[in-house]
Amino acid sequence: MSRLLFVTLLLLMQLRAAVTIDLSQDAIANAQTILVTLYADANEPRIDRLYVAFDGKRWPFYRNPFRKGRSFYALVPASFYAKPGVRKLVVVTVERGRKHYYAFNTEVYAGAYKVEKLHVAPSRAKISSKNRKRISAETKEAMRIYRTSTPKLYIKAPLALPLQSRITSAFGNRRLFNGVLKSYHSGTDFHAPVGTPIYAVAAGKVVLAKDRFFAGNSVIIDHGQGIYTCYYHLSRIKVKPGTWVKKGTLVGLAGATGRVTGPHLHYSVRVNGVQVDPVAFTETFNTLFSKER
Ligand SMILES: [Zn+2]
């Protein structure tokens, strides 16, 4: 072997060893999230830019605030409508103007989501043109919120759930309203009689606190870096838009406002604009706090 080739190989081996990348899972159901962590050794040249390429999109890396040194993390959600199949997840780093690619084989499989039949009052099932306008404005407002990604992460501790209760309707159930298929269940429903206290799952800023057609009294919290949590059908809202909350702050009381069949808490999570399974996301995100990462 020539000396030059030997030196090149040695350098390549060093480059490989200097960046450690870890995936929380290499197979996820649709609407689940892969957590990618990256640690760059101090000897590694400065990483000027890095991102994940997955499913035809780029997903941002952020500095991991829970680890010392050059640690980064990225949340890569698959949408509920993601087609099952094998996909390459590629971590791209740019060092001194040169791109480096780290490819992983991942799979999105079809989640075991159920079909649910629901009956609601015809006035709520059949939507008047006035209400259609209202719904459209509310959807636009929410989408504007979810498209915004605050660079700072406000989360300081592992995510909690908004209350300790049993799940009455899981995320992802396909729903037949009065016999008509209407999309899927975009959150997790918890058993919660009217008046049950509902708490913020982590620190953040309240970005929406108002009554809406489907969701009723709603609170949305921005946790930074593209993470939002939503608390719906509240009987009373206890926070105002712009309020900073801590993990465990009372955000409202459970109720039966909006389009519901009875009192409960509908809890949902958005990650980088994508609606994900809140319970699965909580588990995945919280691995950021485990020692191995
Ligand atoms: Zn729900």
Side-chain angles (χ1 to χ4, degrees):
M1 191 188 306
S2 80
R3 193 186 147 84
L4 185 64
L5 181 63
F6 178 73
V7 170
T8 309
L9 277 176
L10 205 70
L11 273 172
L12 277 174
M13 280 160 65
Q14 280 180 345
L15 281 177
R16 282 287 146 100
V19 171
T20 312
I21 298 169
D22 187 36
L23 271 56
S24 59
Q25 301 110 289
D26 51 18
I28 54 167
N30 53 323
Q32 290 189 353
T33 310
I34 298 176
L35 171 73
V36 183
T37 50
L38 182 146
Y39 175 75
D41 191 88
N43 299 321
E44 183 73 353
R46 226 185 96 85
I47 295 175
D48 301 313
R49 211 153 52 84
L50 71 169
Y51 58 87
V52 176
F54 180 78
D55 232 2
K57 288 195 195 104
R58 285 185 181 189
W59 306 91
F61 264 104
Y62 293 104
R63 201 167 269 281
N64 181 349
F66 311 114
R67 285 283 167 274
K68 285 207 176 81
R70 297 194 294 169
S71 292
F72 302 87
Y73 85 98
L75 293 168
V76 184
S79 110
F80 183 82
Y81 298 107
K83 296 255 180 307
V86 173
R87 290 160 168 72
K88 279 257 187 295
L89 183 152
V90 184
V91 173
V92 183
T93 65
V94 183
E95 299 160 22
R96 291 176 178 155
R98 280 186 59 187
K99 276 190 176 176
H100 297 260
Y101 301 90
Y102 305 87
F104 300 85
N105 280 322
T106 60
E107 190 193 345
V108 176
Y109 59 88
Y113 302 121
K114 292 184 193 133
V115 175
E116 229 177 25
K117 286 175 186 166
L118 297 170
H119 289 274
V120 291
S123 65
R124 287 275 173 181
K126 209 166 178 284
I127 295 158
S128 70
S129 67
K130 186 175 159 242
N131 280 333
R132 211 169 290 143
K133 270 190 195 144
R134 180 186 169 186
I135 293 160
S136 159
E138 287 170 355
T139 305
K140 273 190 196 140
E141 181 183 34
M143 290 306 146
R144 238 185 347 259
I145 289 171
Y146 301 139
R147 267 200 305 272
T148 312
S149 185
T150 313
K152 194 176 164 18
L153 184 71
Y154 307 131
I155 298 170
K156 306 256 184 299
L159 300 176
L161 288 173
L163 77 167
Q164 288 302 316
S165 183
R166 86 191 138 79
I167 291 168
T168 51
S169 174
F171 171 93
N173 289 350
R174 288 171 192 280
R175 293 186 144 179
L176 288 166
F177 278 102
N178 299 350
V180 181
L181 187 65
K182 296 263 186 194
S183 150
Y184 68 97
H185 188 212
S186 60
T188 304
D189 288 352
F190 290 91
H191 172 77
V194 175
T196 305
I198 305 301
Y199 304 105
V201 301
K205 188 183 186 180
V206 176
V207 285
L208 184 143
K210 65 193 272 194
D211 174 47
R212 297 192 296 168
F213 182 80
F214 287 122
N217 286 328
S218 313
V219 171
I220 301 179
I221 301 174
D222 177 5
H223 299 286
Q225 299 186 345
I227 304 169
Y228 291 89
T229 58
C230 315
Y231 313 78
Y232 293 167
H233 310 308
L234 304 170
S235 58
R236 289 194 55 195
I237 295 175
K238 294 287 195 183
V239 286
K240 288 192 174 77
T243 308
W244 289 94
V245 294
K246 290 180 181 158
K247 176 178 173 177
T249 298
L250 181 73
V251 296
L253 305 178
T257 55
R259 187 165 75 170
V260 290
T261 52
H264 69 277
L265 177 78
H266 173 103
Y267 173 56
S268 63
V269 176
R270 285 262 174 176
V271 175
N272 291 328
V274 179
Q275 191 106 61
V276 295
D277 178 337
V279 175
F281 176 75
T282 301
E283 264 174 43
T284 300
F285 183 82
N286 285 351
T287 63
L288 253 191
F289 297 86
S290 67
K291 281 212 173 73
E292 304 85 71
R293 289 176 198 278

